[in-house]
């Protein structure tokens, strides 16, 4: 399994409920609007392509892998999001 940060920016007026529901089903955690963390058995390219299936061609997607021991800091995240990150990183 690999831990990824998934950032996206919708550039159309459509809702992204299906993407958020899919992230929930995969066990992801929403960090802030447009930024999720997900622990999956995919590489960054596969994950980008999967996210794209829920989005429009003009939308922006960013995928970055994090590893145990990665340095990170947050402020005002939900405690469940912080707990998710602390348990994996």
């Amino acid at each position: 399994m690999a831990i990824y940060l998934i950032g996206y920016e919708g550039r159309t007026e459509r809702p992204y409920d299906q993407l958020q529901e899919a992230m929930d089903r995969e066990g992801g955690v929403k960090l802030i609007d447009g930024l999720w963390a997900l622990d999956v058995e995919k590489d960054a390219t596969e994950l980008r392509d999967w996210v794209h299936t829920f989005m429009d061609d003009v939308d922006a997607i960013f995928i970055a892998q994090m590893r145990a021991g990665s340095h990170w800091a947050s402020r005002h995240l939900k405690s469940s999001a912080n707990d998710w990150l602390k348990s994996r990183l």
Side-chain angles (χ1 to χ4, degrees):
M1 301 280 270
I3 301 162
Y4 291 96
L5 290 181
I6 302 162
Y8 65 91
E9 178 181 77
R11 296 182 175 165
T12 62
E13 294 298 319
R14 76 184 211 127
Y16 293 91
D17 297 343
Q18 288 182 335
L19 173 59
Q20 294 179 14
E21 291 168 5
M23 295 280 200
D24 280 335
R25 280 193 304 275
E26 293 295 320
V29 62
K30 183 177 180 177
L31 302 176
I32 56 176
D33 285 342
L35 184 64
W36 285 72
L38 189 61
D39 194 359
V40 293
E41 291 188 25
K42 296 179 188 215
D43 65 28
T45 302
E46 292 170 323
L47 189 53
R48 180 206 57 206
D49 294 345
W50 176 75
V51 169
H52 180 256
T53 65
F54 300 97
M55 304 187 77
D56 293 324
D57 285 341
V58 297
D59 295 336
I61 302 169
F62 173 78
I63 309 291
Q65 185 176 8
M66 298 185 73
R67 300 186 190 281
S70 293
H71 297 281
W72 61 277
S74 65
R75 182 176 170 132
H76 298 299
L77 288 186
K78 291 181 181 179
S79 60
S80 59
N82 268 326
D83 292 345
W84 191 97
L85 291 167
K86 285 178 185 177
S87 71
R88 289 165 174 82
L89 300 173

